[in-house]
Amino acid sequence: MPVPAPAAKPEGEDLLPVDGDSEADGDEPGSTELTGLFLEKPPDNVVAVSGTDVTFIAKVDSTTLTRKPTMKWLKGKWLDLGSKAGKHMQFKETYDRNTKIYTYEMKIIKVVPGDAGGYRCEVTAKDKCDSSTFEISVEAAQQAEQTDILSAFKRADAGEDEGDLDFSALLKAAKKKKPEKEEPEIDVWELLKNAHPSEYEKIAFKYGITDLRGMLKRLKKMKVEPKHSEAFLKRLDSCYSVDKGKKIVLKCEVIDPNVQVKWLKNGQEIKPSAKYVMEANGNIRTLTINKASLADDAAYECVVGEDKCFTEVFVKEPPVTITKLMDDYHVVVGERVEFEVEVSEEGAHVMWFFEDIELHKDMETTKYRFKKDGKKHTLIILEATLDDIGMYHAWTNGGHTKGELEVEEKQLEVLQDIADLTVKATEQAVFKCEVSDDKVTGKWFKDGVEVLPSERIKMTHIGRFHRLVIDDVKPEDAGDYTFVPDGYALSLSAKLNFLEIKIDYVPRQDPPKIHLDTTGNMVSQNTIIVVAGNKLRLDVEITGEPAPTVVWSKGEKPITESEGRVRVESRKDLSCFVIEGAEREDEGNYTICVTNPAGEDKAVLFVKIVDVPDPPEHVKCTSVGEDCATITWEAPKFDGGAPLKGYLMERKKKGSSRWTKLNFDVYDSTTYEAKRMIEGVLYEMRVFAVNSIGMSQPSLSSKPFMPIAPTSEPTRLSVHDVTDSTCSLKWLAPEKIGAGGLDGYIIEYCKDGDTEWVVANKDLCERQWYVVRDLPVGEKINFRVVAVNVAGRSPPAMLTQPVTIREIMEHPKIRLPRELRTKYIRKVGEKINLTIPFQGKPRPVATWYKDGKPIDEKIINVRNSNVDSILFIRSAEREHSGKYELVLKIENMEDRATIEIRIVEKPGPPVNVRVTDIWGFNAALEWEPPKDDGNCEITGYTIQKADMKTKEWFTVYEHNRRQNCTVSDLIMGNEYMFRIYSENFCGLSEEPRQSKNTAKIAKTGLVQKQTPYKEMDMSCVPKFTQPLVNRSVVAGYSTAISCAVRGFPRPKIIWMKNKMIIGEDPKYLMTNNQGVLTLNIRKPSTFDGGKYSCMAVNDLGTDEVECKLEIRIATDPDKK
């Protein structure tokens, strides 16, 4: 939600009760009744003057909330105004840490009539929700009205689809613009209510309505009698809502299935395309809009001849979230700053703010640049100044991120100073220095006079290095040279010494002599300091006659090379010792020894190599706070040969590649407290060491750490129970936990008057209660509880007064649950689990009895604890019914409670069901109650009847409570039987009881005349219609022989083998299916071969057929 800049309150705005201090004209003060989550609500009714700014304020108290509340500002029922944030509507959210109150503001800039209507602010916080509605009315300004004809033809809040202008109507309006006579006031609402939709635009133009859609929306809420449509059976819905990019279908139903319809959008006919699909299916007409965009947010019509139906489509843009958060920046004056964020959708609108000031392209200043690259949005500050210090915010309609910019003045560091030089005539002199900023320019001076370039004198600036080169040095070049950087109160000076060569008369025999120049790089006698990487050239003048021999050595090792990185160059009266690119290994004592016949001379030089220090080591975070962290490290193993000046620190968020400097001045300690960090965000740190030579490489990054703070103290600490040696404590979680979470609690106690606290629990307690044990009887003990997380211990929560450790005698008392105070009924097979809470101290003895006798714990399970007793039956049976009594005893005190348990099941069927009377189409039934009522009251009976012909049962009565009934509407001539089910709490009986007699409804006044019927004689002698057939089968494979016979009465069939009747031999199976006779022989052997015959016999005669069955043994073809 964007945080807009506070706008000045214009004249006329005092009509709106903004902060609850002013009143609307004719209305009561704007304060509302405080209910739910709101501490302050917007006024119910507000009258705003067109063209002025109005502000609405809502306040929410978060002291009882576990999460940050979410506020939505809505217009009407569903239109979320968060997506409309911009120049016209601005939203602001602030939080007071002291009072824990969130303040939400909605500001409407230059109110227009289209802003009139119903609004709602809705706040949600986890499982809590509250809302407040208010109405805005817009009045015209009291001054002369300046007609904006263009805006009269545009719909407010239409976004990209404001519609085309009707220029012909504009010209007509301009011609008609004349002074009008005063007319009586006309109710525009009544005009719109009674007008045809085609007249809406004409009325809107005539009466200055700028938001016609908004008025039509409110008009729907009024009670309007629907007009009968001659073309539509079902009109379009009043409005449709669709998310951007989704599909929506507009549907209506016409009377004539063959009629053609037209679809219009904002009065313009829609042509079929891939986006707009029009379909006709019978009487249904549909318009499908694919991939809805903001341009589809418009009014639509379906036209059939002269009749129309209207609707509105509202396209909701999904909230745009921020996927990459903004980084912090720490820069110096003049540097370029780029704040970059990534959002979830391309082309999304991102609002930039500096503190409370919105930044946009139309601002007068040109220091800000805005860049969009797909999902990336960048705010660029070309040259940072001290005025740019502060928080920068990026807002979308679904997210917010912020980054801090810190700007410091430029501070130029001298990384390499100018060295004094001693040169001879015609040689080259080079002055070189290095500064920390490669963009800094400067000037060279000699004895206070600026040095100008010439053919012999050249000045160069490459990166951070500035050089002054003087070729062919002359005596007049000697003097003091100074380099002054532009814009800085700083100067670097060095001296140029000109060495004159004097030729004196020297005897032929002159002992050798070494002439050392102690100026320049020599900081002390015979000590030379060289910066690592630089070149050392040591020119030593030697005299002697004859010319002496020169030997350079490092330690005991002579240096004889005349080429290479370390070499010796010899000239007349001069020995040059050169080290190219000095390294740390080059440090040491160097000896020059000169000899000739006249003698020997020796000098020792110490070359000291100085370098930038090694990186600091073991950077780690030792402690963290809510927005700070303490970082420690160890000094570098090698200081570069020069004393350390201090350290520079940098930090970055984990996952980011941008490091932010924490200090520009060197810090001399190895412990640093980093501040202004965001709680719950992972950070990494690194450290640089600095000496007079320069800055080291960065150290290894520290392990990621997160600024977190300990929780607040636990709340509502209280004593739950006390015994002779224990104390039970209870408490609630801390109000503020923070990003570090909560690991557990530590419980401590001490005797009253002592200051030494004893920890009661070895491991952290994750519960919100704890029993402290092994306490001394009768002592007064103080208790406190501390919450612990990764940031450490919270402040302790303490009891207001000490607790005396002594158990208090308490009478036994059974707290019988309400549902057990009446009969406890359960069905057979169900589980019974009764928990009876009780109280009493010391621990009471609980005993159960059933019907006055102790219960059998093998059948019924009982478990007793300090505070309750549980009676458990895994599967209830009828014999478990009875009166159960719980007796609670403490010494000579006791309490009793009785529970009546009844186990029920389905009843048996009723007894002696009979038909007692039959008259007309009615039958009277009576019966007696079942012998087994299922151990509970019979609640009714279910009576069913069945026709003797169909024997299909139909229910006549259900839940009949009497033991008799009359069955009516029986069919004449039919005979009926009846059956009855018993019913109780468990349901109907398993089996019904059928009536002993039936009810036959006799026909009255009808006599059936019987037609004589002669029965046909079907008698027939048995005759085989299909004989048995001879067969040859393989032994071991089951076979069957069959034949067919006819005869009436049905003949008796006799199977025989070799004229012997086959009896009940299991080897044979004989079947008769509709006269087809089959004899199955299971796995026959050679003994089963022979003649089989079948004989059919009835009262009229006999018939017989036979066949021959051959059994052959199977042969293996491989053995042939």
Side-chain angles (χ1 to χ4, degrees):
M1 187 178 293
V3 183
K9 186 176 181 180
E11 295 181 1
E13 197 177 11
D14 55 346
L15 296 174
L16 177 66
V18 177
D19 297 323
D21 297 332
S22 58
E23 300 179 6
D25 290 345
D27 291 343
E28 296 180 358
S31 60
T32 57
E33 182 182 357
L34 305 180
T35 58
L37 298 176
F38 282 108
L39 198 62
E40 180 180 332
K41 299 181 181 179
D44 292 336
N45 294 289
V46 174
V47 179
V49 179
S50 179
T52 61
D53 299 348
V54 293
T55 305
F56 299 90
I57 296 179
K59 294 185 178 180
V60 177
D61 187 1
S62 65
T63 54
T64 60
L65 303 180
T66 58
R67 292 184 180 177
K68 176 184 176 183
T70 302
M71 172 67 79
K72 284 187 178 180
W73 295 89
L74 307 170
K75 184 176 182 183
K77 290 185 178 180
W78 57 268
L79 181 60
D80 190 352
L81 298 178
S83 60
K84 304 292 184 181
K87 294 183 179 180
H88 184 60
M89 284 191 174
Q90 296 181 351
F91 303 89
K92 184 176 180 181
E93 172 188 337
T94 57
Y95 176 65
D96 190 340
R97 291 181 178 270
N98 297 324
T99 60
K100 297 185 178 179
I101 292 177
Y102 285 88
T103 302
Y104 302 92
E105 294 183 12
M106 178 180 75
K107 186 173 185 179
I108 304 178
I109 308 297
K110 295 183 181 179
V111 176
V112 297
D115 294 324
Y119 289 77
R120 177 163 55 96
C121 58
E122 180 181 284
V123 61
T124 56
K126 200 175 181 182
D127 54 350
K128 297 182 180 180
C129 180
D130 196 4
S131 64
S132 173
T133 58
F134 55 96
E135 192 85 14
I136 300 179
S137 302
V138 181
E139 290 185 351
Q142 300 298 324
Q143 58 189 3
E145 187 177 58
Q146 297 178 356
T147 307
D148 184 2
I149 298 179
L150 293 178
S151 62
F153 287 86
K154 294 187 177 182
R155 294 180 289 109
D157 299 330
E160 300 172 359
D161 190 24
E162 292 183 334
D164 298 329
L165 300 178
D166 188 353
F167 289 100
S168 62
L170 286 174
L171 294 174
K172 293 177 184 177
K175 293 177 182 179
K176 293 179 182 178
K177 191 175 181 183
K178 295 178 180 179
E180 297 180 358
K181 299 180 180 179
E182 291 187 0
E183 297 181 358
E185 292 187 1
I186 297 175
D187 190 350
V188 180
W189 292 107
E190 290 296 328
L191 279 177
L192 289 174
K193 190 188 303 183
N194 300 323
H196 190 273
S198 61
E199 302 292 327
Y200 285 163
E201 291 187 6
K202 192 180 295 182
I203 295 172
F205 178 73
K206 182 175 180 180
Y207 294 99
I209 300 173
T210 57
D211 189 6
L212 178 59
R213 291 178 65 193
M215 293 195 68
L216 292 176
K217 229 171 125 185
R218 296 184 64 193
L219 191 64
K220 294 170 188 174
K221 301 179 181 179
M222 300 184 176
K223 296 183 179 179
V224 181
E225 295 183 1
K227 296 181 180 179
H228 177 70
S229 174
E230 297 180 356
F232 292 95
L233 286 173
K234 183 179 179 182
R235 293 177 173 271
L236 294 168
D237 292 343
S238 59
C239 62
Y240 294 84
S241 173
V242 62
D243 291 330
K244 180 181 176 183
K246 301 293 185 180
K247 180 177 74 174
I248 188 172
V249 179
L250 311 183
K251 182 186 294 183
C252 64
E253 190 172 351
V254 297
I255 295 177
D256 184 2
N258 299 317
V259 72
Q260 297 294 324
V261 302
K262 290 183 180 179
W263 292 92
L264 307 180
K265 172 186 174 183
N266 289 337
Q268 302 293 325
E269 184 175 357
I270 303 174
K271 301 298 182 183
S273 63
K275 183 175 183 64
Y276 300 103
V277 180
M278 305 171 191
E279 295 179 310
N281 185 8
N283 297 76
I284 306 298
R285 299 293 185 270
T286 58
L287 169 65
T288 303
I289 304 175
N290 295 311
K291 296 183 179 179
S293 63
L294 294 179
D296 297 317
D297 186 288
Y300 291 81
E301 304 172 38
C302 181
V303 181
V304 179
E306 297 297 327
D307 205 353
K308 302 179 181 179
C309 61
F310 299 83
T311 188
E312 286 186 282
V313 173
F314 296 94
V315 180
K316 294 188 292 184
E317 190 172 4
V320 178
T321 59
I322 297 176
T323 57
K324 181 182 178 182
L325 301 180
M326 195 186 303
D327 289 330
D328 297 333
Y329 276 83
H330 197 148
V331 298
V332 296
V333 174
E335 285 190 353
R336 177 186 175 101
V337 179
E338 294 186 5
F339 287 108
E340 182 181 284
V341 297
E342 286 190 17
V343 295
S344 56
E345 292 190 11
E346 293 188 4
H349 178 58
V350 176
M351 299 178 65
W352 295 92
F353 284 83
F354 170 51
E355 299 296 349
D356 292 337
I357 303 172
E358 182 179 1
L359 308 178
H360 50 80
K361 295 181 180 178
D362 300 332
M363 298 179 67
E364 295 180 0
T365 179
T366 59
K367 70 185 302 180
Y368 300 109
R369 295 287 184 268
F370 303 90
K371 179 181 175 183
K372 291 184 180 180
D373 184 9
K375 297 181 180 180
K376 291 184 178 180
H377 292 252
T378 308
L379 169 64
I380 303 173
I381 304 176
L382 298 178
E383 293 184 358
T385 64
L386 295 178
D387 296 333
D388 297 324
I389 297 175
M391 296 299 294
Y392 287 78
H393 304 260
W395 292 89
T396 65
N397 60 357
H400 165 242
T401 181
K402 62 182 178 180
E404 183 179 10
L405 175 60
E406 295 183 3
V407 183
E408 294 194 8
E409 289 281 5
K410 288 185 178 179
Q411 294 184 358
L412 193 66
E413 292 185 37
V414 178
L415 302 181
Q416 181 178 345
D417 204 347
I418 306 175
D420 293 341
L421 297 178
T422 300
V423 295
K424 296 179 181 180
T426 71
E427 290 186 346
Q428 184 187 67
V430 179
F431 291 102
K432 181 177 71 172
C433 64
E434 181 183 3
V435 294
S436 58
D437 191 347
D438 58 358
K439 297 180 181 178
V440 171
T441 59
K443 296 179 181 179
W444 292 88
F445 295 86
K446 176 194 174 187
D447 298 329
V449 180
E450 184 178 355
V451 179
L452 299 177
S454 64
E455 294 182 359
R456 198 168 58 85
I457 301 175
K458 298 181 179 58
M459 290 169 283
T460 61
H461 172 203
I462 301 175
R464 296 180 300 184
F465 292 93
H466 296 261
R467 289 181 174 85
L468 173 64
V469 181
I470 304 174
D471 295 326
D472 191 15
V473 175
K474 299 179 179 180
E476 56 267 22
D477 293 329
D480 292 327
Y481 286 82
T482 304
F483 175 74
V484 179
D486 294 336
Y488 294 92
L490 178 70
S491 64
L492 307 177
S493 299
K495 188 174 183 180
L496 175 63
N497 299 310
F498 183 79
L499 181 63
E500 295 184 3
I501 302 176
K502 297 180 180 181
I503 303 175
D504 297 327
Y505 173 76
V506 180
R508 299 281 301 175
Q509 292 291 329
D510 189 8
K513 181 68 175 177
I514 299 173
H515 302 275
L516 284 177
D517 183 5
T518 58
T519 61
N521 289 339
M522 290 201 180
V523 295
S524 63
Q525 188 67 27
N526 294 357
T527 299
I528 302 175
I529 296 179
V530 183
V531 178
N534 287 1
K535 177 179 179 180
L536 170 64
R537 181 183 183 90
L538 185 60
D539 294 334
V540 180
E541 183 182 359
I542 300 170
T543 60
E545 189 66 30
T549 302
V550 182
V551 177
W552 288 86
S553 61
K554 181 182 180 183
E556 300 296 331
K557 183 179 179 182
I559 301 172
T560 59
E561 292 84 358
S562 60
E563 293 183 0
R565 190 177 66 84
V566 180
R567 63 183 182 271
V568 176
E569 298 177 358
S570 296
R571 300 181 186 177
K572 183 180 180 182
D573 299 333
L574 200 67
S575 178
C576 299
F577 178 66
V578 181
I579 300 178
E580 297 278 359
E583 299 176 355
R584 293 183 185 179
E585 293 78 10
D586 296 329
E587 183 173 312
N589 288 314
Y590 289 83
T591 304
I592 177 172
C593 181
V594 293
T595 59
N596 70 358
E600 178 183 85
D601 195 8
K602 182 181 293 185
V604 178
L605 302 175
F606 179 72
V607 177
K608 184 177 182 180
I609 308 297
V610 293
D611 196 359
V612 296
D614 288 345
E617 298 181 342
H618 305 119
V619 180
K620 59 185 177 180
C621 175
T622 57
S623 64
V624 293
E626 184 176 1
D627 61 349
C628 61
T630 302
I631 308 299
T632 63
W633 61 89
E634 295 179 6
K637 291 182 178 179
F638 177 63
D639 61 2
L644 289 177
K645 291 185 176 181
Y647 303 92
L648 297 176
M649 284 71 71
E650 291 184 350
R651 78 173 181 217
K652 75 176 182 70
K653 297 175 183 176
K654 184 180 180 183
S656 172
S657 59
R658 181 175 295 277
W659 290 90
T660 303
K661 290 184 178 180
L662 298 183
N663 63 317
F664 284 86
D665 295 329
V666 291
Y667 184 77
D668 56 1
S669 176
T670 57
T671 301
Y672 181 78
E673 184 178 5
K675 298 182 178 179
R676 304 183 71 178
M677 307 171 87
I678 302 174
E679 184 178 9
V681 176
L682 285 172
Y683 288 91
E684 295 177 356
M685 293 278 293
R686 67 181 183 184
V687 183
F688 298 81
V690 180
N691 64 4
S692 58
I693 306 303
M695 186 169 61
S696 71
Q697 292 295 317
S699 67
L700 295 176
S701 299
S702 66
K703 291 183 179 179
F705 61 91
M706 181 185 298
I708 49 178
T711 68
S712 60
E713 68 276 3
T715 58
R716 300 179 65 178
L717 175 62
S718 61
V719 177
H720 178 64
D721 191 15
V722 179
T723 67
D724 286 342
S725 62
T726 64
C727 181
S728 178
L729 303 175
K730 284 189 175 181
W731 61 89
L732 295 181
E735 291 183 356
K736 180 183 176 183
I737 294 179
L742 178 62
D743 295 338
Y745 302 92
I746 294 176
I747 298 88
E748 298 177 334
Y749 66 91
C750 76
K751 294 182 181 180
D752 191 22
D754 289 352
T755 58
E756 183 179 353
W757 291 88
V758 180
V759 178
N761 54 324
K762 295 180 180 179
D763 299 324
L764 288 180
C765 176
E766 298 181 359
R767 306 182 300 272
Q768 293 179 5
W769 59 269
Y770 189 78
V771 179
V772 183
R773 304 182 185 277
D774 300 328
L775 297 174
V777 180
E779 288 285 352
K780 289 185 177 182
I781 304 293
N782 288 311
F783 294 93
R784 70 180 184 185
V785 178
V786 177
V788 179
N789 66 1
V790 293
R793 294 163 56 103
S794 72
M798 299 185 64
L799 293 174
T800 57
Q801 57 187 7
V803 179
T804 303
I805 308 302
R806 180 177 289 111
E807 190 166 33
I808 302 172
M809 181 69 71
E810 184 179 351
H811 287 266
K813 179 65 177 178
I814 299 174
R815 302 292 184 183
L816 191 63
R818 186 181 299 274
E819 66 271 12
L820 299 180
R821 296 176 186 175
T822 58
K823 285 184 181 178
Y824 185 75
I825 301 176
R826 280 294 179 268
K827 298 178 182 179
V828 171
E830 289 186 345
K831 180 174 64 176
I832 296 177
N833 191 357
L834 304 181
T835 301
I836 314 298
F838 55 75
Q839 63 187 38
K841 292 184 180 180
R843 177 176 177 175
V845 178
T847 308
W848 284 90
Y849 296 89
K850 179 189 175 187
D851 298 331
K853 299 179 180 180
I855 63 172
D856 186 359
E857 294 190 359
K858 295 181 180 179
I859 302 175
I860 302 174
N861 297 317
V862 174
R863 185 191 65 80
N864 297 324
S865 70
N866 293 336
V867 293
D868 59 20
S869 179
I870 298 177
L871 179 75
F872 179 73
I873 302 175
R874 187 174 300 279
S875 178
E877 300 293 341
R878 291 267 297 265
E879 53 268 19
H880 292 145
S881 301
K883 288 189 176 182
Y884 289 78
E885 186 177 25
L886 173 61
V887 179
L888 203 63
K889 288 186 177 182
I890 299 178
E891 297 179 356
N892 58 348
M893 298 178 292
E894 71 173 29
D895 191 17
R896 295 173 178 264
T898 302
I899 304 171
E900 185 176 352
I901 298 178
R902 178 179 292 183
I903 309 301
V904 299
E905 62 181 342
K906 293 181 179 180
V911 180
N912 196 18
V913 179
R914 58 195 180 281
V915 179
T916 58
D917 193 9
I918 302 171
W919 71 96
F921 302 102
N922 307 307
L925 300 177
E926 290 184 0
W927 60 90
E928 296 176 3
K931 294 180 180 179
D932 182 10
D933 60 0
N935 204 23
C936 65
E937 179 186 1
I938 299 296
T939 58
Y941 299 91
T942 298
I943 297 95
Q944 295 181 343
K945 68 177 180 180
D947 188 352
M948 294 294 289
K949 296 179 181 178
T950 62
K951 294 187 178 180
E952 292 184 7
W953 292 98
F954 297 94
T955 300
V956 180
Y957 293 106
E958 288 183 327
H959 313 302
N960 183 61
R961 300 187 67 85
R962 295 175 298 176
Q963 296 177 16
N964 57 73
C965 71
T966 300
V967 182
S968 304
D969 298 330
L970 301 177
I971 299 174
M972 182 174 59
N974 288 357
E975 184 177 0
Y976 293 90
M977 55 184 175
F978 304 91
R979 67 183 185 186
I980 301 176
Y981 291 89
S982 303
E983 184 178 4
N984 66 0
F985 172 78
C986 297
L988 296 177
S989 58
E990 297 288 347
E991 298 292 337
R993 182 73 70 186
Q994 196 163 326
S995 58
K996 296 181 178 180
N997 52 348
T998 60
K1000 186 173 183 181
I1001 309 303
K1003 296 181 180 180
T1004 57
L1006 296 177
V1007 178
Q1008 182 181 10
K1009 184 177 180 181
Q1010 297 287 345
T1011 303
Y1013 172 74
K1014 183 178 180 182
E1015 187 175 358
M1016 182 177 179
D1017 186 9
M1018 301 295 294
S1019 300
C1020 176
V1021 177
K1023 178 65 175 178
F1024 282 95
T1025 58
Q1026 184 69 32
L1028 294 172
V1029 179
N1030 294 335
R1031 297 200 63 184
S1032 176
V1033 298
V1034 178
Y1037 292 90
S1038 298
T1039 186
I1041 54 177
S1042 301
C1043 59
V1045 67
R1046 71 181 180 185
F1048 190 82
R1050 185 175 180 176
K1052 178 181 178 182
I1053 306 301
I1054 301 173
W1055 285 93
M1056 293 177 289
K1057 174 189 174 185
N1058 298 329
K1059 299 302 182 180
M1060 300 293 292
I1061 296 175
I1062 299 173
E1064 298 298 328
D1065 191 344
K1067 191 178 187 68
Y1068 300 96
L1069 176 63
M1070 293 165 276
T1071 60
N1072 183 353
N1073 184 14
Q1074 300 293 328
V1076 177
L1077 310 177
T1078 303
L1079 175 65
N1080 290 285
I1081 306 173
R1082 182 175 177 275
K1083 295 182 179 180
S1085 62
T1086 54
F1087 300 101
D1088 294 320
K1091 288 186 177 181
Y1092 287 81
S1093 58
C1094 180
M1095 180 184 295
V1097 180
N1098 66 3
D1099 296 338
L1100 300 180
T1102 302
D1103 195 10
E1104 182 179 1
V1105 292
E1106 66 177 17
C1107 69
K1108 184 178 180 182
L1109 178 64
E1110 180 184 356
I1111 306 299
R1112 65 181 186 274
I1113 299 174
T1115 58
D1116 189 352
D1118 295 337
K1119 295 182 179 181
K1120 290 183 180 182

